[in-house]
Amino acid sequence: MSKTYIIANWKMNLMPKEAILQAKNIAKEYKSLKGKKDLELVICPSFTEIAAIAKILQPTGVFLGSQDVFWEEKGSYTSSISANTLKEYGCKYVIIGHSERRKLLNESNESINLKIKAALKAGLIPILCIGETFTERQAGQKESVLFDQVLNGLKDIWLKKGDSLLIAYEPVWVIGSGQAVDPDEAEITQAAIKRSLLEFMPAGVVADNIFVLYGGSVNGMNVKSFLSKPSIDGVLVGGASIDIEKFKPIINYK
Ligand code: PEP
């Protein structure tokens, strides 16, 4: 059965007590959901709340992710967190290359590539974020930017049997704007991303191990129009995932 992914990216929006409460609220909502066998629900809090939220989620079937990782395993890397540490704390997923990190912290395709390799080595599932800016879109560079991010982000990465990788297509200009892209455009783009993967990955791996999500102003009103598209395997949700009343209709998208 193919899964539908719903990833909650809380960014730096919740204070510790708020994050704990939101995790409990989401776990409660998930528990009451019917027909959730094919839903993979993931919460990505700040590093500081990972340990506490791991305990809350552990018996629930809701999974934990982090919002970043460092590529080295151990050593003198002040402030960094390794993939093995995240794994030991109970993370299953890790967001890598979010546009906010690319823009504000100059995260490059090369460092993103190292992080994906480190995540896979530790047994984490990377969520590679890609997306074009409005300027790039206006200049007709959308496809080339996305292809470049995919090709360089995944350079020399060979998925083994059992490995998974998620790619979140997030047009930078709609993130946090309240205005998502047209689901038809997202579907065409997601299909193009899957086709671009076929240029350097075996078709079986693309079909079985890689899943493409949409992200950017997803809310309770539009979620179904994205999740009903054949090439969209899930959604990455920012703003609407930090408020339980806004997140409930997303989890209940069916
Ligand atoms: C995001 O930043 O990954 C995101 C999808 O944010 P929002 O849902 O708020 O647009």
Side-chain angles (χ1 to χ4, degrees):
M1 183 192 285
S2 66
K3 286 182 190 167
T4 296
Y5 295 87
I6 298 182
I7 317 286
N9 175 15
W10 291 351
K11 312 188 187 189
M12 204 178 74
N13 282 312
L14 297 175
M15 294 298 284
K17 284 188 183 130
E18 295 170 327
I20 302 291
L21 181 63
Q22 180 68 345
K24 287 182 179 164
N25 284 337
I26 291 175
K28 192 169 155 209
E29 187 62 22
Y30 179 80
K31 195 174 174 199
S32 67
L33 269 187
K34 294 197 176 69
K36 60 191 172 210
K37 271 202 202 88
D38 56 344
L39 172 62
E40 183 91 346
L41 182 58
V42 182
I43 295 177
C44 302
S46 299
F47 284 134
T48 43
E49 274 68 67
I50 279 180
I53 292 181
K55 287 203 185 96
I56 294 167
L57 298 185
Q58 212 272 324
T60 64
V62 179
F63 294 103
L64 185 63
S66 103
Q67 298 176 17
D68 187 37
V69 65
F70 190 59
W71 58 79
E72 294 290 351
E73 284 183 19
K74 205 175 190 144
S76 303
Y77 305 106
T78 303
S79 93
S80 302
I81 310 271
S82 75
N84 285 333
T85 298
L86 295 173
K87 180 81 180 166
E88 199 166 315
Y89 271 103
C91 284
K92 182 173 177 187
Y93 293 86
V94 52
I95 295 174
I96 297 177
H98 191 280
S99 61
E100 286 150 13
R101 293 192 59 87
R102 289 181 190 259
K103 181 169 175 231
L104 301 171
L105 298 160
N106 293 324
E107 191 141 279
S108 66
N109 286 327
E110 289 67 34
S111 60
I112 287 165
N113 178 257
L114 292 174
K115 290 180 177 190
I116 295 174
K117 287 175 179 158
L120 287 168
K121 190 170 175 206
L124 295 169
I125 301 178
I127 306 170
L128 165 63
C129 296
I130 61 168
E132 82 286 1
T133 63
F134 191 66
T135 314
E136 288 162 345
R137 178 187 172 86
Q138 292 295 86
Q141 295 165 349
K142 175 178 146 179
E143 280 74 18
S144 63
V145 167
L146 296 181
F147 188 64
D148 189 53
Q149 291 175 345
V150 168
L151 192 70
N152 290 307
L154 300 182
K155 194 166 176 232
D156 299 329
I157 286 175
W158 313 108
L159 296 183
K160 298 187 303 297
K161 198 173 180 319
D163 281 348
S164 294
L165 173 83
L166 273 47
I167 299 177
Y169 167 54
E170 304 203 288
V172 178
W173 48 285
V174 299
I175 291 180
S177 71
Q179 183 64 56
V181 296
D182 188 300
D184 288 333
E185 183 186 335
E187 164 67 10
I188 291 168
T189 308
Q190 318 273 107
I193 292 167
K194 286 186 178 169
R195 276 198 305 279
S196 76
L197 291 167
L198 293 172
E199 293 192 22
F200 62 101
M201 289 215 179
V205 170
V206 176
D208 299 339
N209 305 60
I210 304 189
F211 305 93
V212 186
L213 321 182
Y214 167 77
S217 296
V218 170
N219 58 38
M221 307 279 275
N222 63 22
V223 64
K224 204 168 174 177
S225 58
F226 289 105
L227 291 179
S228 57
K229 299 287 180 196
S231 295
I232 302 184
D233 301 309
V235 286
L236 200 159
V237 187
S241 71
I242 56 172
D243 175 339
I244 191 63
E245 292 313 319
K246 291 187 180 154
F247 200 45
K248 264 188 203 171
I250 295 177
I251 311 175
N252 287 283
Y253 70 95
K254 280 183 184 163

